[in-house]
Amino acid sequence: MYTIERNAERTSSAGRLLYDIFVNFPDQPVVWREISVITSALRNDSQDKQTQFLRGLFETLPGRIQCEMLLKATEQCFNTLERAEMLLLLLRRFPDSVVQHGVGLGESLLEAENIEDQESPVNCYRKLFVCDVLPLIVNNPDVRLPAALLYKYLNKAAEFYINYVTRSALVENQYQGAQDTPDLLSPSKRSSQKCVIEGLTEKSSQIMDPWEQVFKILSVVGVRCEWQMDMSRRSFGDILLKMKDVSRYIGNYDNEAHTKYKTQVVYSTVLVFFKNAFQYVSSIQPSLFQGPNAANQTPLVLLEDVSSVYGDTDIDRSKHVHKKRKLAEGREKTMSSDDEDPSGKGRNRHIAIPAAELPNSAEVLESFRLARESWELLHSLEPLDKEFTRICVSWKTDSWLWLRIFLTDMTLYQGQYKKAIASLHHLAALQGSHSPQQIPGQGPLENQRALIQLATCHFALGEYRFTCEKVLDLMCYMALPIQEGTKLQEEQPKLKSKFRKVSELKLWPCTSAAIMPYCLRLLLACFKLRAFTDHRDDIALGHAIVLLQHEWPRGESLFLKAINKICQQGNFQYENFFNYVTNIDMLEEFAYLRTQEGGKINLELLPNQGILIKTSSPPLGLLQQEFLPVLQPSVQTADRHHTVTRGITKGVKEDFRLAMERQVSRCRENLMTVLHRFCINEKVLLLQTLA
């Protein structure tokens, strides 16, 4: 009869017959086969007609029979996952059963995780425990749990959620069944990723708002353990301020209270720290988490600001007055100078961010601040430091690539450059173990990031040869860009506040178009110090002159100081001059130095063998617009040729005149190509100069 009613999909009558069968023949195999089919339908995500009928059939049974049926069905399960899912059906339908079965189910899942020796906390057992079982346990006031067990469960939940959110694109792609949308993977909405955890269905694997979920667990545990301050609906800043206040009195409490408030401070601050550190890293390096979906988002790298490299306040303009000295008096001069204060370390350093590259820059900087202050709080007292270290060791945070990126930036911000260098070497080792080249574009990006940060740290330490070495290594990765990019001149403030004594930092676009100009500034800063000292160093001065062509006329005042120095010396030797100097204003100045009015300065600018090296000029348009040399558009090459050669064609060496004429013909050669060639071809000489 039951089969007839079931096949006819008459829910009520089939339900009554199923009830009679279950009560009268509870141990018959055929009965359990039918119950197994029904419970499978209850756990199934499908919405087909048959599944919906079986669910409706189950709903017709009395609650007592439903409970008994689910309990007995659970006893028939020998697979841990299947048994857990069956018990979850029971716990959700009958909250009273949580008291009897909740903790046992949770412990069995944690035990299964250990037995299976799962490599990652993001596994099916931990997911079911943290997301499904734990909320039922902690939100049920009738379930009495000791504080130590609650802290254990909080630890497991925090580890799971943090690892779930921060999994790299490489790991995600191993489990992903469908393409993620950029919206789902954005730093603020990375909450319902379509990735499948092995052993679970796609629906069971999805977690909505994981950060919100873990803070809910924190709040509930805090209420149960009678912590100070309700954690719910509090901003990260409020939580951190309260934890700073609580930490001041930890040493005054007895053992039990000491443990309670120490745990509150540690776990509350740990979650604020990891949440904000992740928010920062996912904003500056989205490809680490989003993979190909981050193709349109520019990665950023934290660097020391060296925009003041072109400034100099000690120029005596009376020593050498050129007839064209007023050529740029109408241009706005940069007032930054060599007064960067390297002692400004640790706090309140300004970080400049190009608005076009990071629209939510204020939020990112706030995340960076909260993460730094959380880290400092966790290391401010020995009990906090010890507990935080224990957590980090158990979670294996040393292997978290994204966290190492944050820690590197934090130490750089604090001015602890030697620690930052050590952190960068640690980062390189992690990149090798994570095989980032499997993530499209990740390998070259990481190489560039590491090298440029190493260079900026060595520069801040005054280790200029190491700075130069890293910059020149980085030049090998430079792919001179073809598509139009953002102009660097628009990313920098024209004036540096005279009240700011702390050296600034910049979150700089980590692209060839932006990194190469920064590298050229670093090189100039290194050679500038050697070129303008009291002792003579023509090679360093020549290198500086070549580099001053970049971003012309920003370095014009410094170039004039170089001219004054040459005039004081009475002669100047730099045999690479005609290989790399193509700036028309500089050529005009050096041509004038050979004249009677210019002081008849002896210039040895040609190679010893007297052969002028001819360098073919690449066609214009090969590089981005920002890489074109700065020239006055109204001045034609022919007019410049007349200006440069007039007055020196009589009584000067023929080879110098020919060389100048040839250089004028190169004045429209792509400057970035010239400077890139300079860095690559003269690497040995550049390093020797700084030895």
Side-chain angles (χ1 to χ4, degrees):
M1 288 294 295
Y2 168 74
T3 304
I4 294 172
E5 296 299 312
R6 182 184 185 280
N7 291 339
E9 295 187 353
R10 288 190 277 268
T11 307
S12 297
S13 56
R16 286 193 298 271
L17 291 169
L18 178 61
Y19 170 79
D20 292 336
I21 292 171
F22 179 74
V23 171
N24 295 313
F25 308 100
D27 299 323
Q28 290 297 318
V30 66
V31 175
W32 280 108
R33 281 197 295 271
E34 182 63 15
I35 292 174
S36 176
V37 171
I38 294 172
T39 53
S40 294
L42 295 175
R43 291 183 284 116
N44 196 343
D45 299 332
S46 175
Q47 297 298 321
D48 64 82
K49 188 177 180 181
Q50 178 66 17
T51 302
Q52 289 180 340
F53 166 74
L54 292 173
R55 291 175 190 156
L57 176 62
F58 184 79
E59 295 296 339
T60 64
L61 298 173
R64 179 181 60 83
I65 297 299
Q66 288 182 2
C67 182
E68 188 177 347
M69 189 178 288
L70 289 174
L71 268 176
K72 289 193 174 183
T74 301
E75 294 171 1
Q76 300 290 322
C77 297
F78 298 100
N79 178 281
T80 303
L81 279 179
E82 188 179 349
R83 183 175 182 276
E85 290 174 345
M86 196 71 73
L87 262 178
L88 274 170
L89 281 175
L90 175 69
L91 300 184
R92 286 172 180 149
R93 286 175 173 270
F94 305 100
D96 291 345
S97 64
V98 172
V99 177
Q100 183 178 355
H101 301 287
V103 176
L105 175 57
E107 289 295 330
S108 68
L109 286 169
L110 294 178
E111 183 182 357
E113 180 185 36
N114 289 330
I115 293 174
E116 294 292 335
D117 196 21
Q118 296 287 324
E119 291 184 5
S120 168
V122 183
N123 60 72
C124 55
Y125 304 108
R126 184 77 71 92
K127 190 273 172 187
L128 288 177
F129 169 71
V130 168
C131 302
D132 301 302
V133 179
L134 186 57
L136 296 174
I137 295 174
V138 296
N139 287 304
N140 191 317
D142 296 326
V143 179
R144 307 293 182 182
L145 294 175
L149 192 59
L150 284 170
Y151 297 154
K152 170 188 170 182
Y153 290 167
L154 175 60
N155 182 291
K156 295 290 185 182
E159 182 187 19
F160 171 82
Y161 280 120
I162 293 169
N163 276 274
Y164 180 86
V165 175
T166 61
R167 280 181 301 171
S168 71
L170 178 63
V171 173
E172 238 171 63
N173 289 337
Q174 294 174 351
Y175 299 106
Q176 197 160 323
Q179 286 294 321
D180 295 316
T181 64
D183 183 64
L184 289 174
L185 285 170
S186 68
S188 60
K189 298 182 180 180
R190 188 182 168 87
S191 58
S192 57
Q193 301 129 332
K194 290 185 178 179
C195 54
V196 179
I197 297 174
E198 188 176 0
L200 300 177
T201 64
E202 181 177 315
K203 183 177 180 180
S204 297
S205 300
Q206 292 184 46
I207 302 174
M208 298 300 297
D209 300 316
W211 286 115
E212 182 179 341
Q213 298 303 321
V214 70
F215 275 97
K216 281 183 179 178
I217 296 292
L218 176 73
S219 179
V220 173
V221 170
V223 171
R224 279 179 162 266
C225 295
E226 299 179 343
W227 287 354
Q228 293 187 18
M229 178 182 177
D230 180 10
M231 296 296 172
S232 61
R233 303 186 183 279
R234 297 278 186 166
S235 70
F236 296 128
D238 288 343
I239 293 174
L240 191 57
L241 283 174
K242 181 61 178 179
M243 294 309 100
K244 288 179 179 179
D245 185 54
V246 174
S247 68
R248 296 191 186 102
Y249 307 103
I250 287 180
N252 299 334
Y253 296 118
D254 58 26
N255 288 339
E256 184 178 349
H258 174 86
T259 301
K260 177 169 69 174
Y261 294 126
K262 178 191 72 174
T263 306
Q264 178 187 7
V265 171
V266 169
Y267 278 99
S268 301
T269 311
V270 159
L271 291 181
V272 172
F273 168 69
F274 283 118
K275 170 65 171 72
N276 286 280
F278 166 74
Q279 195 77 15
Y280 169 77
V281 175
S282 62
S283 297
I284 68 167
Q285 193 171 345
S287 63
L288 191 63
F289 304 102
Q290 301 178 30
N293 292 320
N296 296 325
Q297 301 181 48
T298 304
L300 302 173
V301 57
L302 189 66
L303 301 170
E304 292 284 328
D305 179 19
V306 291
S307 59
S308 63
V309 66
Y310 295 108
D312 196 285
T313 56
D314 299 324
I315 298 175
D316 184 355
R317 294 180 180 271
S318 65
K319 293 181 181 178
H320 175 73
V321 181
H322 188 283
K323 61 176 180 177
K324 301 287 288 183
R325 187 52 36 84
K326 295 184 179 181
L327 63 93
E329 283 186 359
R331 300 169 187 157
E332 186 174 7
K333 296 293 189 296
T334 302
M335 295 181 64
S336 57
S337 64
D338 302 338
D339 59 354
E340 286 194 54
D341 182 4
S343 64
K345 299 179 174 69
R347 293 183 179 274
N348 301 322
R349 298 184 71 185
H350 177 69
I351 301 177
I353 308 179
E357 303 294 352
L358 201 62
N360 63 331
S361 59
E363 297 172 18
V364 174
L365 291 179
E366 177 66 4
S367 293
F368 189 49
R369 180 189 70 82
L370 288 171
R372 290 196 320 269
E373 292 186 9
S374 299
W375 177 271
E376 290 167 3
L377 175 57
L378 288 166
H379 290 85
S380 62
L381 296 171
E382 184 180 354
L384 304 181
D385 191 355
K386 187 176 180 180
E387 181 65 13
F388 180 51
T389 301
R390 185 191 66 80
I391 292 172
C392 288
V393 170
S394 67
W395 290 359
K396 301 178 181 177
T397 59
D398 264 359
S399 64
W400 295 1
L401 181 65
W402 70 271
L403 181 58
R404 181 51 52 183
I405 292 172
F406 168 79
L407 294 177
T408 299
D409 284 7
M410 182 181 69
T411 51
L412 198 157
Y413 175 89
Q414 294 170 337
Q416 300 179 36
Y417 301 109
K418 291 184 178 179
K419 284 187 177 180
I421 290 170
S423 186
L424 284 164
H425 289 306
H426 187 174
L427 186 61
L430 285 178
Q431 288 160 11
S433 64
H434 282 248
S435 301
Q437 63 271 20
Q438 297 180 42
I439 304 174
Q442 192 74 7
L445 168 63
E446 285 311 313
N447 287 332
Q448 290 184 35
R449 178 186 295 277
L451 284 171
I452 195 62
Q453 285 196 316
L454 283 170
T456 203
C457 288
H458 284 303
F459 177 77
L461 289 170
E463 299 169 351
Y464 302 123
R465 191 179 187 282
F466 284 131
T467 303
C468 183
E469 181 181 314
K470 298 305 176 186
V471 165
L472 297 179
D473 287 343
L474 184 56
M475 283 295 176
C476 298
Y477 290 97
M478 292 293 105
L480 297 183
I482 298 174
Q483 298 179 353
E484 185 178 355
T486 305
K487 294 187 177 182
L488 285 170
Q489 288 84 348
E490 298 174 358
E491 298 170 358
Q492 308 153 17
K494 292 182 178 179
L495 297 178
K496 187 174 180 180
S497 172
K498 62 182 179 180
F499 301 108
R500 182 173 289 129
K501 298 300 183 182
V502 179
S503 60
E504 291 188 356
L505 295 158
K506 284 183 180 289
L507 271 171
W508 204 252
C510 194
T511 60
S512 293
I515 290 298
M516 185 171 172
Y518 183 84
C519 288
L520 294 173
R521 289 182 186 177
L522 272 184
L523 286 178
L524 176 59
C526 293
F527 289 106
K528 169 185 169 183
L529 297 172
R530 187 174 290 256
F532 294 104
T533 55
D534 292 335
H535 71 279
R536 176 171 176 170
D537 191 335
D538 282 6
I539 300 296
L541 188 60
H543 293 337
I545 290 170
V546 171
L547 293 166
L548 282 169
Q549 296 177 101
H550 177 237
E551 297 183 299
W552 185 265
R554 289 193 67 193
E556 184 179 355
S557 61
L558 198 58
F559 171 69
L560 296 180
K561 183 176 182 180
I563 294 298
N564 284 332
K565 185 176 177 67
I566 291 172
C567 290
Q568 291 172 13
Q569 294 176 178
N571 57 68
F572 176 65
Q573 179 180 5
Y574 186 66
E575 296 179 357
N576 271 318
F577 182 90
F578 288 114
N579 287 338
Y580 305 113
V581 178
T582 61
N583 180 284
I584 193 68
D585 293 330
M586 290 185 175
L587 294 175
E588 184 176 75
E589 196 73 35
F590 274 92
Y592 182 69
L593 291 178
R594 291 288 296 264
T595 66
Q596 184 72 32
E597 297 87 345
K600 283 190 174 182
I601 305 300
N602 181 29
L603 301 176
E604 299 179 36
L605 307 181
L606 295 168
N608 288 333
Q609 62 269 37
I611 300 176
L612 180 61
I613 300 178
K614 299 178 182 180
T615 307
S616 60
S617 177
L620 292 176
L622 184 61
L623 299 183
Q624 291 183 344
Q625 185 66 32
E626 76 232 46
F627 290 160
L628 294 177
V630 180
L631 292 171
Q632 295 296 321
S634 62
V635 181
Q636 301 300 319
T637 302
D639 296 333
R640 283 295 191 177
H641 170 250
H642 178 72
T643 303
V644 170
T645 56
R646 184 178 58 196
I648 67 165
T649 54
K650 296 179 182 180
V652 298
K653 293 183 179 179
E654 184 69 11
D655 53 359
F656 184 84
R657 185 184 67 80
L658 291 173
M660 272 295 178
E661 289 179 352
R662 192 173 298 275
Q663 283 307 98
V664 170
S665 70
R666 292 181 58 199
C667 69
R668 287 190 178 274
E669 185 173 337
N670 194 295
L671 180 60
M672 294 305 265
T673 302
V674 174
L675 295 178
H676 185 264
R677 188 188 306 132
F678 169 68
C679 294
I680 298 297
N681 293 350
E682 308 304 328
K683 179 176 181 178
V684 174
L685 180 60
L686 289 167
L687 291 173
Q688 285 178 347
T689 307
L690 293 172

